[in-house]
């Protein structure tokens, strides 16, 4: 029996959601080209497509919105955000951006160029896309265990220092403008990096004059895992551990739509004053003036308040426990899930669930479509479709992990909703033999194809043999 403590919040405002019939959902998924991303949200009952920007804001965040200073230049709300970032993440220079990828775009433009190389712990789609757009080649230097869905390694987000060393020797430190590490690693299933490993990565990189930038979108969840799992950190607060994670790094690019408990926004935090000036100059062209970066003043207020709430121990314990509860229910029912459960998501091993669907017919995408039809629950593929094509060869990448990701929005769903999700996934798993066909592209966009791709069942009319 999995324990589940009462959520540390109560509901002050409600948003109606509705269940639909299976016949309605079959029509909807066909109209969406079998891609749950192209569904109308109204046709989804429980939406676990992403935890990004789907957070419920607190009463304090809503009241903070009213304090938003919408001055074009030098708004008070900018200084409130700057102060929150300095206090909780420790970076002296703060540049607001409209969301995480805005920060990735401008930092990549500042640092990268043709012929450069960027090592990282696995990859994030938008991060790698901007690195490649600026001519760099991305290299995955994560530990091997990250690619193994059943490995119980407590820090599957750790960098393999030997792989990093080997890359530095192979291409030379001069060709590596930065190391790009994430905490937690989304594509591995929300897996954390340890403080010890991140510190060692920074020492190694700095010894070669290479700066390290942290993707800190989910660094609070990462800090929670450090507190639970890394020897020596159990007595420290999540706020202290967050500082320890950021301390050895040279900067961070952050989407405030994740741990920041906001619906939109982001920021870049930096230590080097010259680099901060260059980033501000780029921000001016692509985001907005350096004191708003594409956000309204009220957004910056909501993020500042969200940052303070994110490190509250009650909040983060409850948040991760809800994800763990979903994972435990699936695991106890025999559904193959990535272990250990991540901070923001549970990932179903689609290749293990649908071994009869060839990898070329995208078992993860197929399972995502099937879950929607059966239960009205929306997840997202994290496998071959998301991995895209190698920009040089044009070949499909075939990642080791072929997953269906169920990402849980923060403070949005109750245990009953989570039970409905679990029941639906278990039903799909029990009836997996009825899924007789995978999917092939009918429209394949050139970049970040998973968002807008359309598919058709490879074996005829439907992915279900009988429906
Ligand atoms: C969401 C996310 C991004 C991109 O941020 P957006 O706000 O969606 O643009 C980058 N890295 C990670 C790890 C993320 O989860």
């Amino acid at each position: 029996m999995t324990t589940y403590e009462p959520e540390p919040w109560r509901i002050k405002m409600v948003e109606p959601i509705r269940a639909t019939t299976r016949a309605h959902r079959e029509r909807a998924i066909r109209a969406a080209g079998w891609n749950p991303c192209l569904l109308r949200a109204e046709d989804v009952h429980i939406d676990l497509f992403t935890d990004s920007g789907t957070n419920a804001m607190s009463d304090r965040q809503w009241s903070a919105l009213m304090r938003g200073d919408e001055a074009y230049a030098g708004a008070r709300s900018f200084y409130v955000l700057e102060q929150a970032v300095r206090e909780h993440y420790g970076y002296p220079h703060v540049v607001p951006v409209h969301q995480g990828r805005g920060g990735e775009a401008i930092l990549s433009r500042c640092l990268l160029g043709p012929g450069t190389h960027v090592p990282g712990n696995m990859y994030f789609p938008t991060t790698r896309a901007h690195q490649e757009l600026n001519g760099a080649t991305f290299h995955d230097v994560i530990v091997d265990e990250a690619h193994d869905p059943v490995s119980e390694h407590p820090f599957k987000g750790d960098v393999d220092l030997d792989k990093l060393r080997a890359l530095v020797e192979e291409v030379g430190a001069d060709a590596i403008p930065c190391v790009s590490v994430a905490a937690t690693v989304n594509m591995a299933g929300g897996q954390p990096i340890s403080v010890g490993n991140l510190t060692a990565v920074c020492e190694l990189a700095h010894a070669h004059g290479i700066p390290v930038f942290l993707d800190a979108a989910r660094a609070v969840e990462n800090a929670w895992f450090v507190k639970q799992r890394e020897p020596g950190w159990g007595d420290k607060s999540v706020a202290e551990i967050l500082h320890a994670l950021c301390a050895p790094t040279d900067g961070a690019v952050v989407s405030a739509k994740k741990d920041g408990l906001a619906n939109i926004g982001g920021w870049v935090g930096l230590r080097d004053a010259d680099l901060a000036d260059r980033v501000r100059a780029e921000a001016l062209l692509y985001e907005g003036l350096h004191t708003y970066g594409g956000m309204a003043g009220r957004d910056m207020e909501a993020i500042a308040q969200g940052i303070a709430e994110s490190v509250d121990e009650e909040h983060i314990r409850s948040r991760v426990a809800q994800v763990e509860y979903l994972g435990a229910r699936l695991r106890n029912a025999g559904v193959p899930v990535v272990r250990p459960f991540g901070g923001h998501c549970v990932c179903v091993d689609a290749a293990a669930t649908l071994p009869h669907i060839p990898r070329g017919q995208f078992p993860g995408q197929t399972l995502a479509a099937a879950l929607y039809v059966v239960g009205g629950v929306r997840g997202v593929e994290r496998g071959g479709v998301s991995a895209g094509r190698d920009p040089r060869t044009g070949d499909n990448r075939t990642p080791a992990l072929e997953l269906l990701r169920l990402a849980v929005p923060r403070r949005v769903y109750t245990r009953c909703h989570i039970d409905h999700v679990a029941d639906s996934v278990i039903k799909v798993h029990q009836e997996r033999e009825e899924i007789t066909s995978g999917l092939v592209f009918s429209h394949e966009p050139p970049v970040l194809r998973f968002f807008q791709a359309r598919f058709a069942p490879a074996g005829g009319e439907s992915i279900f043999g009988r429906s």
Side-chain angles (χ1 to χ4, degrees), residues 32-54:
W34 298 89
N35 186 355
C37 187
L38 297 179
L39 290 166
R40 286 176 178 239
E42 281 192 323
D43 290 329
V44 176
H45 186 194
I46 308 289
D47 203 348
L48 304 191
F49 184 72
T50 178
D51 64 321
S52 179
T54 52

Side-chain angles (χ1 to χ4, degrees), residues 148-150 335-338 346-355 359 363-364 367 400-405 429:
D148 174 4
V150 297
V335 179
V337 281
V338 173
V346 174
C347 293
V348 179
D349 186 341
T353 305
L354 302 176
R359 288 296 295 271
L367 194 60
L401 298 179
E402 175 73 16
L403 309 175
L404 164 63
R405 188 191 73 185
H429 180 251

Side-chain angles (χ1 to χ4, degrees), residues 52 99-101 104 124 126-127 186 215 218 255 257-258:
S52 179
Q99 62 181 85
R101 71 199 66 181
E104 292 168 347
F124 187 77
T126 57
T127 317
N186 192 350
D215 183 332
R218 297 187 187 80
S255 167
K257 305 173 69 173
K258 320 291 170 50

